[in-house]
Structures are given as structure tokens and as C-alpha cells.
Amino acid sequence: MDESTNGVRVERIDGQWAVQIFENGETTQHLFENEEFARNFAAGQRIRLNPPGIEPTLT
């Protein structure tokens, strides 16, 4: 991912759900046991990172 691109990715890592947040060239990761919690958290982060009218990035 380009350093200037903000986005969110959800993936399964070692039996946990990881939400990776790419923001202003920095990457942070939050781990969840429950997929639904991870996806809900990711959805909130996408809203925070992408103001209305801007297409969200990543899946």
C-alpha cells in the first residue's frame, strides 16, 4: 500500500482476526478473537479515515 494512502484491512493471523490500519504512512494492528468484532471495528475505522463521498480502500 502506498504510504500516502489511508485504509483498513482485516485478515486472519494465527487463529485471531487482525485489523490493520494504514494512516499517514503508519500501520497499527488490533487483534480480536471474534471475526464479527474485528469487522465492526474495521468498519468504524473506515468511516473515520474516509470522509463521506470518498470511496473506502482495502477490504
Side-chain angles (χ1 to χ4, degrees):
M1 171 169 274
D2 182 315
E3 284 188 9
S4 66
T5 303
N6 293 338
V8 179
R9 177 172 40 220
V10 178
E11 63 183 335
R12 186 123 169 118
I13 299 176
D14 295 328
Q16 292 185 310
W17 290 94
V19 177
Q20 298 168 338
I21 302 165
F22 306 93
E23 183 175 14
N24 301 322
E26 304 263 336
T27 301
T28 56
Q29 179 172 281
H30 299 268
L31 297 174
F32 296 85
E33 296 290 327
N34 182 289
E35 179 182 6
E36 184 178 359
F37 292 168
R39 294 206 180 274
N40 285 338
F41 177 76
Q45 294 303 303
R46 284 186 187 100
I47 290 168
R48 182 180 70 79
L49 291 173
N50 296 291
I54 298 178
E55 190 66 28
T57 56
L58 295 180
T59 57

